[in-house]
Amino acid sequence: MDNARLVVAILTLIMTLLTLLPLSRNQRWWVRVWDFPRLQMAVLSVIFLILELCFLPGGGPLAWIIVLLALGCTLYQSWWIFPYTGLANIQVKKTPHTTHSRIKLINCNVLMTNRNTAKLLKIIEENQPDIVVLLETNLWWEQQMSPLEANYSYTLKCPLENLYGMHVYSRLPLIESKIQYLVAEGIPSMHFRVRLQGGEEIVMHCLHPMPPSPTEDDESTNRDGELIAVGHTAARATYPTIVTGDLNDVAWSRTTRLFMKISGLLDPRRGRGMFNTFHASYPVLRWPLDHVFHSKEFTLIDLKRLEPMGSDHFPIMVELALNPLEGKTQQKLEIEQGDIEEAREKMENAGIKSRDVHQAEFC
């Protein structure tokens, strides 16, 4: 029993360290990576807490300290993920029956080495989105997706062999479209206006920044700077705005929260669930990496994580109604003291300014 108590105590101390580590603003990958598995860490903390309570009798003051540490980890990790549970307040109103203009989009990181193109084409055919955003696409994927162009005549293509290619297929007209490399060579983003069937126009930004990892980018600096710069652009937009893509950041991270505060955009997942899209092959190691944020002019018609299609990501589908009158009562995240300065620092560190982002608003 003493050995078991010691093992649980050591694991709890390690969990406490990993919980505290992301409090640092250090951008190194080995710090920022612990933003991702907060759900898993919360579950483990609960398990440690239960075990420690079982071992508590006769443990003395040190045992109580370990119990309190496990409880603290549980509460802290739960605080971050709570907005993405069904217990939290819903941020985006649902209006399934509406006469307003609507837009349905599918966002999917296809995994460049994946060859199950037939499954993806079937998913698109079954769901009939207006816009398809595909990430990690190369020239082979472009060729395999060519059947889409019979119904999706408006396209924006950037095939790359470095896992950061991007393609957009649209039934709706794309206006003032531009491919940019905002923070790094070979890492594109796409920016354009879309004309809806009712004649209204909206702006879309499609992103896929590099993740902080030992194999890709040692730091989150470029990812964070690009996201915040696009957030500033969205905040200044005169058109309703959507930002989508594989942001290589979880919905509950400090950076994503800062992006939402700076941009004023909403997340339809908040209060509805996590809609974890990565990793499709490992159910116990999943978190929400693929996102669709939108301005207050939109309300939600439908939100789904779609079936797997051979990638390490699930596709995600969102259908929105352009409903400014009802949408204006939706609550965005409030900017707190220090948020503006933190956002400025992130852009400066990445060497990007918000005016670098193509606004797609001027003909």
Side-chain angles (χ1 to χ4, degrees):
M1 183 65 73
D2 289 342
N3 288 339
R5 179 184 289 124
L6 179 61
V7 169
V8 174
I10 292 173
L11 291 175
T12 301
L13 291 173
I14 294 173
M15 182 65 70
T16 302
L17 175 62
L18 298 181
T19 296
L20 294 174
L21 201 57
L23 289 173
S24 165
R25 294 194 182 184
N26 190 309
Q27 302 300 299
R28 302 293 292 180
W29 73 266
W30 52 269
V31 175
R32 299 274 58 92
V33 71
W34 298 107
D35 286 325
F36 288 60
R38 292 196 182 277
L39 172 61
Q40 290 81 0
M41 292 171 74
V43 172
L44 286 174
S45 296
V46 169
I47 294 172
F48 295 162
L49 179 59
I50 293 172
L51 291 174
E52 286 150 7
L53 288 173
C54 293
F55 298 151
L56 187 61
L62 183 59
W64 279 107
I65 292 174
I66 298 299
V67 166
L68 291 175
L69 288 176
L71 178 61
C73 290
T74 300
L75 294 175
Y76 182 73
Q77 299 291 4
S78 298
W79 179 82
W80 282 99
I81 63 177
F82 176 76
Y84 296 90
T85 68
L87 301 175
N89 291 331
I90 290 174
Q91 186 176 45
V92 178
K93 294 182 178 180
K94 192 166 187 180
T95 52
H97 307 292
T98 180
T99 58
H100 293 85
S101 292
R102 55 179 68 195
I103 180 169
K104 181 191 288 189
L105 66 92
I106 286 179
N107 176 85
C108 182
N109 182 323
V110 302
L111 182 62
M112 192 178 75
T113 56
N114 173 28
R115 292 297 179 257
N116 198 355
T117 56
K119 181 65 172 180
L120 179 57
L121 289 170
K122 181 182 178 183
I123 289 173
I124 294 170
E125 174 64 25
E126 289 174 346
N127 290 279
Q128 292 293 305
D130 301 302
I131 294 180
V132 179
V133 180
L134 302 181
L135 310 169
E136 278 200 35
T137 43
N138 58 3
L139 186 58
W140 185 89
W141 268 93
E142 181 177 304
Q143 294 168 346
Q144 298 301 309
M145 293 294 103
S146 60
L148 289 177
E149 296 185 43
N151 295 315
Y152 295 83
S153 54
Y154 302 93
T155 61
L156 198 55
K157 303 175 181 178
C158 185
L160 294 172
E161 300 296 332
N162 64 353
L163 304 179
Y164 289 94
M166 186 180 297
H167 286 68
V168 171
Y169 299 87
S170 176
R171 300 180 189 272
L172 305 170
L174 305 182
I175 308 164
E176 283 291 298
S177 58
K178 188 173 184 178
I179 299 172
Q180 292 188 285
Y181 300 85
L182 291 169
V183 293
E185 184 178 350
I187 310 297
S189 57
M190 293 182 173
H191 314 266
F192 47 87
R193 287 205 317 278
V194 180
R195 182 174 295 125
L196 304 182
Q197 289 186 346
E200 306 94 336
E201 293 183 2
I202 67 170
V203 167
M204 283 189 63
H205 304 277
C206 304
L207 309 177
H208 186 202
M210 294 179 70
S213 78
T215 59
E216 298 197 56
D217 196 342
D218 288 341
E219 298 185 349
S220 65
T221 303
N222 285 343
R223 180 200 68 184
D224 296 353
E226 181 176 2
L227 188 57
I228 297 303
V230 170
H232 271 285
T233 301
R236 299 196 310 270
T238 57
Y239 288 90
T241 299
I242 295 173
V243 175
T244 188
D246 171 6
L247 302 186
N248 276 314
D249 197 15
V250 284
W252 47 70
S253 79
R254 181 184 180 93
T255 298
T256 299
R257 285 172 59 89
L258 182 62
F259 161 79
M260 291 183 65
K261 292 177 180 181
I262 293 298
S263 66
L265 301 185
L266 311 179
D267 187 343
R269 294 167 298 188
R270 290 176 72 96
R272 292 190 169 91
M274 298 177 186
F275 294 87
N276 295 327
T277 55
F278 178 91
H279 193 290
S281 299
Y282 306 115
V284 297
L285 290 175
R286 285 182 182 166
W287 35 75
L289 288 190
D290 301 273
H291 307 260
V292 179
F293 299 102
H294 59 81
S295 55
K296 292 175 66 174
E297 292 91 346
F298 294 101
T299 55
L300 181 67
I301 297 174
D302 197 12
L303 170 62
K304 291 180 180 178
R305 188 185 73 181
L306 302 177
E307 59 189 296
M309 39 67 68
S311 173
D312 50 357
H313 289 247
F314 292 93
I316 191 165
M317 183 186 75
V318 180
E319 185 172 10
L320 302 171
L322 186 59
N323 190 356
L325 185 61
E326 187 172 358
K328 69 180 181 180
T329 62
Q330 299 173 133
Q331 297 298 313
K332 63 182 181 180
L333 299 187
E334 295 296 326
I335 296 180
E336 301 173 5
Q337 186 175 5
D339 287 338
I340 294 176
E341 179 62 23
E342 183 179 355
R344 183 188 64 78
E345 290 178 0
K346 285 186 178 294
M347 288 191 293
E348 285 185 355
N349 291 338
I352 184 175
K353 297 179 174 63
S354 60
R355 64 172 177 266
D356 296 336
V357 181
H358 180 57
Q359 292 189 347
E361 295 202 13
F362 308 107
C363 296

